Amino acid sequence: MDDYFCKYEDRRPPEPIPFSAKTQLLWQFFAVCNLVLGAWYLHWRWTSSLNFDALWFSLLVAAAESLAYFGMILFTFNLWSNEDTPRKPAPGRLHECIAIPASQPDRPISVDVFFPTYDEDVELVRLSVLDAKKLRYPHDIDLKIYLLDDGRREAMAAMAKEEGVHYITRGDNKGFKAGNLRNAMERTGGDFIVICDADTRVFPSFLENTLGYFRDPQVAWVQTPQWFFDLPEGTRLPDLLHRYLGAPGRLIAQGLEKLVGPITTGEDPFANDPQLFYDVIQRRRNRHNASFCCGAGSIHRRDAVMHVALKAYVDGVEKRAKSLVEAVEDDDLREAVAGGLERLVAVETELTPYRFHVSEDLYTSIYLHSDPDGEWRSVFHPQVESKMLSPQDLQS
């Protein structure tokens, strides 16, 4: 395991793409040209190209093209401009980021760092734990690190004891990662929760660079970019052509790069690099309070997650109990069993802070964004604050 990591340890993440007003204006110009030409095409499509001999099929195709154009409008609106959320200084006390009653004494912020794991190599997880123990913060902070082991392994429990971190397991794997997170939330109490994967190695600056956003009491979570630090670095085109064609090949490649920018071959054979998604799509969605939660490398306000979970729980219980009561035909019996059925449903219904779903992080963020009462906000922090391993084969 150490042999694999050694050759990558000195790598540093790319900086966020610097803002350029000229580049943004150029993108907006071409985007508008694209929309105008698309509208022109659709006008011709609906007025001059419908096939009346097969009208039903022709209408379906034209409608599909119109919907694609509508999607392009939304995509353009989504990425129209870049507006990063201004960073704020790291809070020193709880009252700076959470409203607390006057009767409750102020205290340092508490943060739980979760590492859900199932069958990952113990030494791989140890590296993540060691980096989490290096987290720094400019103020007093109550920091706890938890290994959430759904594999129920003695070796993992022993490693947690050796590293002085908390170990949590459960009797079944219901809900998979989402269930694992829920089980941990029931047994912990941090004001904020850092979600990591087993191979997520946070940088020491993670907390001091992200907790400041929570000075806004409506911020529910902060997502940071995911960076796969073991991707092959590839070969620059001038070096590659020089290898085969000599000096003329290098000159040709250098001339081409002056036109289109740097060209590298073989740097990402499985198309794992997420930089386009995080540095462009996620970052520009920030403007609309629509940044996705992508799990690893994110930090969550516990109160926000629990607020939406409890609201969904109450709504689910009421809806289920109402349907059962309405199924009772006798009016007197219906009134007599209504309260009992609601209590029974409440006992049988599970509280799920993270939705039991294959993409529990994205699904939970949709719930938070759609909560009409909470008006929760998300923040995408553009700076890379952790590193992790890329999928090692095409199937992964």
Side-chain angles (χ1 to χ4, degrees), residues 139-269:
H139 311 287
D140 290 339
I141 190 170
D142 181 11
L143 178 66
K144 294 185 177 70
I145 301 170
Y146 294 89
L147 282 181
L148 318 180
D149 183 22
D150 261 3
R152 295 174 285 280
R153 291 163 290 173
E154 292 183 3
M156 190 65 76
M159 186 273 283
K161 185 176 181 179
E162 290 169 11
E163 298 300 337
V165 300
H166 303 273
Y167 178 83
I168 295 177
T169 189
R170 54 186 179 145
D172 58 44
N173 293 357
K174 186 173 183 179
F176 302 102
K177 182 181 177 182
N180 198 359
L181 292 172
R182 182 193 67 174
N183 178 63
M185 287 190 70
E186 291 174 349
R187 300 168 65 176
T188 59
D191 305 310
F192 299 96
I193 301 167
V194 178
I195 304 294
C196 300
D197 284 341
D199 64 344
T200 303
R201 299 175 59 185
V202 294
F203 297 159
S205 60
F206 185 96
L207 292 178
E208 64 183 3
N209 288 345
T210 56
L211 276 175
Y213 295 111
F214 291 101
R215 286 179 176 271
D216 179 348
Q218 299 306 124
V219 170
W221 80 88
V222 176
Q223 178 68 52
T224 66
Q226 295 180 356
W227 174 54
F228 300 138
F229 74 110
D230 63 333
L231 288 177
E233 292 183 305
T235 305
R236 286 287 298 276
L237 187 62
D239 296 331
L240 182 67
L241 292 189
H242 182 265
R243 187 184 307 163
Y244 294 104
L245 302 176
R250 181 180 292 276
L251 289 174
I252 293 172
Q254 288 174 342
L256 184 60
E257 286 194 333
K258 286 184 179 180
L259 292 175
V260 301
I263 301 174
T264 305
T265 62
E267 61 181 336
D268 187 13

Side-chain angles (χ1 to χ4, degrees), residues 36-52 58 61-62 65-66:
V36 170
L37 291 173
W40 187 17
Y41 168 78
L42 283 181
H43 177 267
W44 169 82
R45 188 76 178 82
W46 282 100
T47 60
S48 305
S49 72
L50 293 179
N51 183 356
F52 289 93
S58 185
V61 174
E65 290 179 312
S66 300

